[in-house]
């Protein structure tokens, strides 16, 4: 394929900037393709596994484009890490953060930077873009590149939905519709489609890279009782070498496991979201500085973890989705050296995850919030609706998400307004239907987690099939392959069937529209928009014509 002089020039500039301005020896092919597309003004959706280097995409693109890059990032700690990392680079663009913790002096300096000239980066929390003043200042400064980090948070079907992300599509348009880069470490093809739609992306280049982590040794250990499982977890970690992570389901378990591991002579630290900010910073510092053998954490120990030499990641219980599991597991071995990933599993543990996944607002509460929207003149702010309906801000956010999914209200940066005027009772009924649909998808996601834990085939092939990637018949680096059991198992084997290959859009007579995730010898796994993940008998599909390619 011929490379045009213009494309060749961009590639040379990318390599030069990486080396001279950031001190990087090379740029990965997926990163380069994304940067080239952004340099040419095209939107990019990059789904790249933890450790692949998503931040490098917008950092280098900023240098190439030469203007103001706005980065929406959900965690203040993550913003601080990004700013600090850029300051440590030889000649990176200047960067600053605008968030609720920044004092007046730091905010003034950040805005002075944003309103300056040349390549520069401004990081904001998504809620900052709900401020009309912020949008006006950014528009006046002239946004040249709009970046959405942790982009899966915009998807209501994703595993980490954040309502504030719903406003970003409108904000992008208001700021002049610069090229958009959506970055995430986890997004199966149905979530990719929703990210693109909600951010109003235009013909984005979709890049999926880095999920086939051959250096990770995958294994699942099954247990019959909780006591037996806890002993096995502690014994296993006591035998590990190097720094690692132990993920648990509850805050209480962080302390219990940390204490048990300390009694075994390990430098173990507990971590969860209810700890004080200073205590969390201390654990982060101990982890990064090598002063911790293991951090026992809930999922709160997540975004922004940037330590290359994590030698093991252990889960004492399965998370509520393979998305979350592989994102957390992917924090091991980011230096490409061998690392171990272990899941301790009891089928009963999934009942706890179902409890966490369920729980929708009562219909009376939904009707009350919708009634408050009806009585408001024009648009109303969520805080006003919470006061009028006499519910908490958290409850009103949950209700508004359901009413928005049900199509009866619209919620954007200006506030909430009615788009389909119905009675409060009908609105509550529609919201209940939307909640039931969401719960079905949550439950199907949990069932895919069960499928991974209980598969008799290659575990890496199962994971890659879930993310819609081609997979080898045997990876040779999981417990199933090591035991030889995966050789004769057809479950995780791709057939190369053209009619139902991964990412093919299909229609089922009962479940409706869907996307094929993986095709094996005896089954086809499909994500249906209104039902979630379903594993269908291949024989039944073929004999009864249950799937029709769109």
């Amino acid at each position: 394929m011929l490379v045009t002089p213009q494309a060749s020039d961009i590639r040379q500039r990318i390599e030069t900037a990486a080396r001279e301005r950031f001190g990087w020896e090379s740029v990965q092919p997926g990163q380069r393709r994304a940067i080239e597309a952004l340099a040419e003004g095209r939107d990019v959706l990059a789904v790249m596994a933890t450790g692949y280097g998503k931040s490098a995409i917008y950092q280098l693109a900023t240098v190439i484009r030469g203007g103001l890059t706005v980065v929406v990032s959900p965690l203040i700690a993550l913003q601080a890490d990004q700013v600090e990392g850029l300051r440590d680079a030889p000649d990176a663009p200047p960067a600053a953060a605008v968030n609720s913790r920044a004092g007046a002096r730091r905010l003034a300096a950040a805005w002075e930077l944003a309103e300056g000239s040349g390549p520069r980066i401004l990081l904001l929390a998504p809620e900052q873009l709900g401020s009309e003043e912020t949008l006006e200042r950014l528009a006046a400064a002239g946004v040249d590149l709009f970046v959405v980090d942790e982009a899966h948070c915009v998807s209501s079907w994703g595993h980490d939905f954040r309502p504030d992300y719903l406003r970003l599509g409108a904000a992008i348009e208001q700021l002049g519709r610069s090229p958009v880069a959506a970055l995430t470490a986890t997004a199966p093809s149905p979530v990719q489609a929703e990210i693109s739609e909600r951010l109003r992306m235009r013909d984005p280049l979709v890049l999926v890279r880095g999920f086939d982590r051959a250096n990770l040794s995958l294994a699942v250990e099954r247990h019959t009782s909780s006591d037996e499982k806890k002993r096995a977890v502690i014994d296993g970690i006591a035998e590990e070498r190097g720094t690692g992570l132990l993920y648990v389901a509850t805050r209480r378990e962080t302390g219990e496991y940390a204490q048990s591991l300390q009694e075994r002579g390990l430098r173990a630290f507990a971590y969860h979201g209810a700890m004080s900010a200073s205590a969390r910073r201390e654990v982060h510092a101990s982890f990064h500085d090598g002063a911790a053998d293991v951090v026992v954490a809930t999922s709160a120990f997540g975004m922004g973890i940037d330590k290359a030499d994590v030698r093991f990641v252990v889960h004492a219980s399965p998370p509520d989705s393979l998305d979350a599991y592989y994102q957390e597991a992917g924090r091991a071995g980011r230096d490409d050296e061998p690392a171990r990933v272990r899941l301790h599993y009891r089928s009963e543990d999934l009942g706890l995850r179902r409890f966490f996944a369920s729980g929708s607002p009562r219909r009376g509460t939904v009707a009350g919030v919708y009634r408050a929207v009806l009585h408001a003149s024009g648009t109303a702010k969520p805080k006003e609706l919470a006061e009028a309906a006499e519910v908490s801000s958290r409850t009103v956010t949950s209700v508004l998400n359901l009413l928005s999914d049900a199509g009866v209200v619209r919620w954007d940066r200006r506030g909430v307004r009615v788009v389909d005027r119905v009675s409060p009772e009908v609105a509550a009924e529609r919201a209940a239907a939307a909640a039931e649909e969401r719960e079905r998808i949550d439950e199907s996601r949990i069932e895919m987690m069960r499928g991974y834990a209980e598969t008799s085939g290659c575990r890496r092939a199962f994971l890659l099939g879930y993310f819609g990637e081609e997979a080898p018949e045997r990876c040779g680096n999981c417990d199933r392959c090591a035991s030889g059991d995966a050789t004769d198992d057809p479950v995780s084997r791709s057939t190369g069937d053209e009619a139902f290959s991964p990412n093919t859009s299909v229609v089922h007579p009962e479940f409706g529209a869907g996307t094929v995730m993986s095709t094996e010898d005896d089954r086809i796994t499909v994500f249906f928009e209104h039902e979630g993940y379903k594993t269908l008998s291949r024989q039944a599909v073929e004999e009864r014509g249950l799937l029709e390619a769109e």
Side-chain angles (χ1 to χ4, degrees):
M1 173 179 165
L2 268 174
V3 178
T4 66
Q6 182 181 10
S8 177
D9 177 60
I10 291 175
R11 290 186 183 182
Q12 184 58 49
R13 290 174 62 195
I14 291 170
E15 296 295 338
T16 302
R19 184 174 58 254
E20 296 180 356
R21 304 196 65 158
F22 294 92
W24 302 327
E25 293 182 4
S26 62
V27 179
Q28 298 200 58
Q31 294 171 320
R32 186 184 300 108
R33 280 196 66 194
I35 298 162
E36 289 171 353
L38 292 170
E40 295 167 359
R42 186 177 179 186
D43 291 350
V44 170
L45 170 53
V47 185
M48 296 175 172
T50 302
Y52 191 87
K54 295 181 291 298
S55 298
I57 292 172
Y58 74 75
Q59 291 168 359
L60 282 166
T62 299
V63 173
I64 303 303
R65 292 186 63 84
L68 171 62
T69 291
V70 167
V71 181
V72 177
S73 181
L75 294 181
I76 292 175
L78 187 56
Q79 295 173 21
D81 288 345
Q82 293 291 327
V83 171
E84 193 64 32
L86 287 165
R87 286 175 182 162
D88 292 341
D91 190 25
V98 172
N99 56 55
S100 58
R101 290 188 191 169
R105 184 176 299 178
R106 284 172 56 193
L107 284 175
W111 281 113
E112 183 178 354
L113 169 70
E115 292 161 355
S117 60
R120 57 212 192 275
I121 298 171
L122 188 69
L123 295 103
L124 305 97
E127 58 269 19
Q128 294 289 329
L129 293 173
S131 163
E132 194 65 36
E133 179 185 356
T134 298
L135 289 168
E136 289 174 356
R137 294 191 75 169
L138 288 174
V143 177
D144 188 67
L145 176 63
F146 195 100
V147 179
V148 182
D149 202 8
E150 306 296 342
H152 61 275
C153 295
V154 79
S155 170
S156 59
W157 303 138
H159 73 283
D160 196 17
F161 174 58
R162 308 285 179 98
D164 286 322
Y165 270 66
L166 294 177
R167 307 170 188 170
L168 298 184
I172 290 167
E173 298 292 343
Q174 186 169 343
L175 294 176
R177 196 48 189 75
S178 61
V180 176
L183 311 176
T184 177
T186 170
S189 52
V191 175
Q192 294 170 27
E194 190 174 4
I195 291 172
S196 179
E197 178 184 351
R198 296 210 171 189
L199 294 181
R200 307 180 189 181
M201 302 179 80
R202 301 174 182 173
D203 185 30
L205 171 65
V206 180
L207 297 170
V208 181
R209 297 288 188 277
F211 285 94
D212 191 1
R213 302 278 305 282
N215 64 312
L216 299 185
S217 171
L218 307 173
V220 175
E221 189 170 339
R222 298 185 67 171
H223 304 282
T224 56
S225 73
S226 58
D227 289 341
E228 178 218 343
K229 183 180 73 169
K230 185 172 182 179
R231 286 193 298 270
V233 170
I234 294 168
D235 289 345
I237 289 179
E239 295 174 359
E240 293 284 1
R241 296 292 179 266
T243 303
L245 294 168
L246 169 60
Y247 280 103
V248 297
T250 66
R251 296 171 182 172
R252 176 177 55 82
E253 287 182 314
T254 63
E256 291 176 351
Y257 273 104
Q259 182 177 345
S260 295
L261 291 167
Q262 289 164 6
E263 291 170 357
R264 299 289 289 269
L266 296 175
R267 298 173 298 173
F269 294 80
Y271 185 101
H272 57 74
M275 294 168 59
S276 67
S278 60
R280 294 198 303 273
R281 284 195 296 270
E282 288 178 10
V283 176
H284 272 281
S286 298
F287 178 70
H288 285 286
D289 296 343
D293 295 316
V294 59
V295 173
V296 184
T298 62
S299 59
F301 196 78
M303 296 177 189
I305 303 304
D306 187 17
K307 182 175 174 62
D309 60 346
V310 176
R311 295 273 64 86
F312 64 91
V313 172
V314 176
H315 283 79
S317 297
D320 57 5
S321 72
L322 277 176
D323 309 71
Y325 179 70
Y326 205 42
Q327 188 173 28
E328 292 168 353
R331 295 182 179 118
R334 291 175 60 171
D335 54 3
D336 292 328
E337 294 298 318
R340 295 162 300 285
V341 173
R342 299 290 183 269
L343 169 64
H344 290 266
Y345 170 73
R346 289 192 318 141
S347 59
E348 293 86 349
D349 293 336
L350 294 174
L352 177 63
R353 290 298 173 184
R354 278 198 174 84
F355 171 77
F356 286 152
S358 63
S360 300
R362 296 178 179 177
R363 291 197 182 196
T365 302
V366 175
V369 172
Y370 180 72
R371 193 174 288 110
V373 180
L374 282 175
H375 291 164
S377 56
T379 59
K381 299 296 183 184
K383 183 178 180 180
E384 299 168 351
L385 297 173
E387 293 173 354
E390 298 181 348
V391 296
S392 68
S393 58
R394 184 172 183 176
T395 296
V396 84
T397 296
S398 177
V399 170
L400 291 175
N401 286 335
L402 289 175
L403 290 171
S404 178
D405 286 343
V408 294
V409 304
R410 182 178 177 83
W411 183 11
D412 55 29
R413 62 178 184 79
R414 291 181 293 274
V416 184
R417 65 183 185 277
V418 174
V419 293
D420 187 3
R421 187 172 290 272
V422 295
S423 71
E425 291 72 26
V426 170
E429 195 173 307
R430 292 186 185 177
E436 289 171 4
E437 181 176 301
R438 185 174 294 180
E439 286 179 13
R440 286 197 300 273
I441 290 178
D442 286 342
E443 288 186 5
S444 77
R445 204 176 275 119
I446 291 170
E447 286 306 309
M448 293 301 289
M449 190 71 238
R450 182 195 299 278
Y452 170 78
E454 298 183 0
T455 185
S456 56
C458 171
R459 297 201 194 278
R460 178 167 283 105
F462 191 102
L463 282 169
L464 294 178
Y466 176 80
F467 288 105
E469 286 200 23
E470 291 294 329
E473 204 172 293
R474 286 167 50 84
C475 74
N477 197 22
C478 74
D479 55 343
R480 291 303 188 193
C481 289
S483 69
D485 292 342
T487 52
D488 298 322
D489 179 58
V491 172
S492 302
R493 187 182 306 149
S494 176
T495 65
D497 187 307
E498 294 183 1
F500 301 118
S501 58
N503 298 319
T504 299
S505 296
V506 294
V507 177
H508 187 279
E510 179 182 354
F511 303 138
T515 303
V516 174
M517 304 306 298
S518 63
T519 301
E520 297 93 35
D521 286 347
D522 68 340
R523 67 194 72 185
I524 300 171
T525 300
V526 183
F527 179 91
F528 293 101
E529 296 174 11
H530 302 291
E531 297 292 332
Y533 294 92
K534 296 287 185 183
T535 300
L536 309 175
S537 161
R538 185 186 177 106
Q539 182 178 355
V541 167
E542 292 177 344
E543 290 180 354
R544 297 161 55 191
L546 293 180
L547 290 181
E548 181 179 340
E550 286 190 322

